[in-house]
Amino acid sequence: MGRLSIHKLKEWKAQGRRFAMITAYDYPTARLVEQAGIPIILVGDSLGSVVLGYDSTVPVTMDDIVYHTRAVVRATEKAIVVADMPFMSYQADPNEAMRNAGRLLKEGGATAVKLEGGSHIVPLVRRMVEAGIPVMGHLGLTPQSVNQFGGHKVQGKTPAAAAKLIADARALEDAGAFAVVLETIPAPLARMVTERLSIPTIGIGAGPHCDAQVQVLHDMLGIYDDRRPLKHAKRYAVLGAAIREAVRAYIDEVEGGAFPTAEHSFEMDEATLAELAQ
Ligand code: KIV
Ligand code: NA
């Protein structure tokens, strides 16, 4: 059967069929999200924040993404797996960028890569697509530039910034990108971009008019209760509390002698026991 084709997504857009993307970073979570029916999984560099304990995506390395992408690919057979290109894996040198993108497909097993940025990366996107590497774009609040933005602020609010974002989205489509993530921009701007592109827009904090949505798995599942609440993140479960409760119950039962019982133990036959007793 094989994995979903990236070209299906454009067909879905043309049919007005909305879809969901979600991040996953390891074997168990990738399995679960595919079993739930997710057509497209992002091995995001949000890995740095939600799995590796950094305070931004900036420290994430190529090796980190390759390692986690391999686990996600092993866990899935139908979903498109998109791997994020981490900070400074594509900004310094186009040849290095090509080799790094290639690693995500060759070593990681990803179907496609995602890069942050607009017009300045368009030549690189074109080169990747021509080399056979499908590319997803990412515009708006691009977290790798958090130090340049000076925080997590809504992007594209002025007429000039909005016009630049629309032009960047068009340029990415022209360069051959198969989809573009729009992060933390006003909903009306995301709607305009969505209407003007033939490739799908995938929103996060970009309102309801995008063709698709993406969420960070750990935010959606409520793994953390102390992570800065993001306006665009919706909690569909409170697994952090559920995990803590389960581990507490286990600790209590071990300390109190309620676990394990005979049910969780192995017996020995009487004859062996008798022989040992002599
Ligand atoms: O790294 C990530 O999770 C992302 C999404 C938020 C789009 O880039
Ligand atoms: Na990312």
Side-chain angles (χ1 to χ4, degrees), residues 8-254:
K8 273 279 173 219
L9 304 181
K10 205 170 163 179
E11 271 177 45
W12 288 358
K13 172 169 181 140
Q15 295 160 1
R17 175 169 163 185
R18 293 159 62 93
F19 60 93
M21 173 162 93
I22 198 159
T23 67
Y25 317 93
D26 58 27
Y27 186 90
T29 56
R31 250 179 93 85
L32 290 166
V33 302
E34 182 168 275
Q35 285 166 354
I38 277 282
I40 175 162
I41 297 174
L42 174 66
V43 185
D45 61 358
S46 52
L47 167 79
S49 319
V50 299
V51 173
L52 301 180
Y54 298 127
D55 62 7
S56 79
T57 63
V58 167
V60 174
T61 66
M62 273 300 302
D63 286 346
D64 290 336
I65 298 285
V66 168
Y67 178 89
H68 286 272
T69 300
R70 288 169 66 101
V72 167
V73 168
R74 282 194 294 267
T76 54
E77 46 190 36
K78 296 200 207 98
I80 296 170
V81 176
V82 181
D84 253 351
M85 295 206 68
F87 183 55
M88 289 316 289
S89 70
Y90 58 99
Q91 290 90 340
D93 170 48
N95 291 331
E96 190 187 10
M98 291 299 294
R99 279 189 291 269
N100 282 332
R103 276 191 73 193
L104 295 174
L105 272 63
K106 284 175 72 100
E107 293 173 45
T111 314
V113 302
K114 177 164 78 57
L115 282 74
E116 296 184 4
S119 51
H120 62 290
I121 61 151
V122 160
L124 189 54
V125 171
R126 183 169 286 116
R127 196 171 152 197
M128 287 179 181
V129 172
E130 279 169 1
I133 301 169
V135 176
M136 177 179 285
H138 188 163
L139 296 171
L141 200 171
T142 45
Q144 292 174 13
S145 301
V146 63
N147 293 305
Q148 177 63 30
F149 291 142
H152 292 271
K153 297 173 194 144
V154 179
Q155 301 295 308
K157 283 174 85 170
T158 66
K164 164 128 180 44
L165 194 139
I166 293 170
D168 282 348
R170 277 230 173 98
L172 286 170
E173 170 167 314
D174 289 345
F178 71 95
V180 60
V181 169
L182 302 176
E183 180 162 353
T184 320
I185 63 171
L189 175 58
R191 175 179 219 158
M192 274 185 220
V193 175
T194 302
E195 285 167 358
R196 290 174 194 200
L197 296 189
S198 63
I199 56 171
T201 58
I202 307 177
I204 176 162
H209 310 296
C210 295
D211 300 298
Q213 295 291 323
V214 56
Q215 288 278 291
V216 171
L217 184 73
H218 292 58
D219 290 337
M220 209 207 80
L221 295 181
I223 296 284
Y224 295 104
D225 33 34
D226 53 354
R227 196 169 122 91
R228 189 174 49 86
L230 302 165
K231 182 175 156 74
H232 60 62
K234 179 170 175 186
R235 269 194 186 166
Y236 288 83
V238 195
L239 293 197
I243 291 170
R244 220 166 21 229
E245 274 311 297
V247 176
R248 260 190 211 125
Y250 164 65
I251 293 169
D252 286 349
E253 291 202 3
V254 169

